[in-house]
Amino acid sequence: IQSFHHKWSNIPLKYRNRVIYIQPVTDNYDNFPNLPSMYDLGIVPLLDSEFNKSKSHLKILEFASWQIPVISSIIPDYQRFADISHNANILVKKNKTKLWHQNIIQLLKDKEMREDLGQRAKKTAIEHFSLEVVNNQRIEFFKQVFNV
């Protein structure tokens, strides 16, 4: 928690007071799918590493299911989600702390923008990542593989 407070101490107090740090719970995961619903916005900072470059877009989909906008580092799947959603998620280039702060403050100030991004993210999740859509893509893939 100390590193969390230190990292975000430059955000003006009136916005920092709205920040709630929820310690990850690992003894019971029953409420885990509902966690994103507790936020005004999702923040997904990732270090630039080979491991993180291979992460999927699932974190964005978790927030999108609750119409919660996301600010994230740029990794390939987050960029792809931005491309197909017409930038429903905000990507922070080069993980510049100043850019993180600016984007967080902008979204905290602008409820309409948060709602717009959240709605577009949910629409994208439904149109491109629903189980029906993904299963149809899998069927088409296997048809090609087996020349059916």
Side-chain angles (χ1 to χ4, degrees), residues 2-50:
Q2 282 182 330
S3 65
F4 172 83
H5 290 296
H6 172 73
K7 187 82 169 172
W8 302 104
S9 63
N10 291 333
I11 294 177
L13 186 60
K14 67 181 180 178
Y15 302 115
R16 195 170 63 238
N17 284 339
R18 293 185 61 186
V19 173
I20 299 170
Y21 179 77
I22 298 175
Q23 184 69 29
V25 177
T26 57
D27 59 337
N28 181 340
Y29 291 101
D30 290 345
N31 196 38
F32 188 76
N34 300 324
L35 282 176
S37 72
M38 301 176 189
Y39 304 116
D40 290 324
L41 58 103
I43 303 172
V44 189
L46 296 170
L47 294 174
D48 186 14
S49 69
E50 289 304 312

Side-chain angles (χ1 to χ4, degrees), residues 122-133:
K122 183 169 186 171
K123 181 179 181 212
T124 300
I126 291 168
E127 290 177 357
H128 296 274
F129 300 102
S130 70
L131 188 57
E132 183 178 345
V133 170

Side-chain angles (χ1 to χ4, degrees), residues 44-56 60 70-83 87 89-96 99-100 103:
V44 189
L46 296 170
L47 294 174
D48 186 14
S49 69
E50 289 304 312
F51 175 77
N52 285 336
K53 287 177 186 173
S54 66
K55 287 191 178 246
S56 73
I60 290 178
V70 172
I71 302 170
S72 70
S73 301
I74 295 180
I75 62 168
D77 262 10
Y78 292 2
Q79 180 66 60
R80 280 190 282 278
F81 189 90
D83 293 343
N87 298 310
N89 55 317
I90 296 174
L91 301 170
V92 177
K93 295 181 178 170
K94 298 185 181 180
N95 273 337
K96 300 278 187 191
L99 295 175
W100 280 96
N103 284 297

Side-chain angles (χ1 to χ4, degrees), residues 57-120:
H57 54 272
L58 292 179
K59 184 57 66 184
I60 290 178
L61 294 179
E62 289 173 359
F63 283 109
S65 69
W66 295 99
Q67 294 187 357
I68 306 296
V70 172
I71 302 170
S72 70
S73 301
I74 295 180
I75 62 168
D77 262 10
Y78 292 2
Q79 180 66 60
R80 280 190 282 278
F81 189 90
D83 293 343
I84 64 173
S85 68
H86 305 288
N87 298 310
N89 55 317
I90 296 174
L91 301 170
V92 177
K93 295 181 178 170
K94 298 185 181 180
N95 273 337
K96 300 278 187 191
T97 303
K98 183 178 179 180
L99 295 175
W100 280 96
H101 291 176
Q102 288 171 347
N103 284 297
I104 290 168
I105 291 168
Q106 178 184 11
L107 276 181
L108 289 176
K109 284 181 176 180
D110 193 340
K111 184 178 181 181
E112 286 181 19
M113 184 179 183
R114 286 196 315 267
E115 289 173 350
D116 175 59
L117 292 174
Q119 289 169 0
R120 288 193 291 132

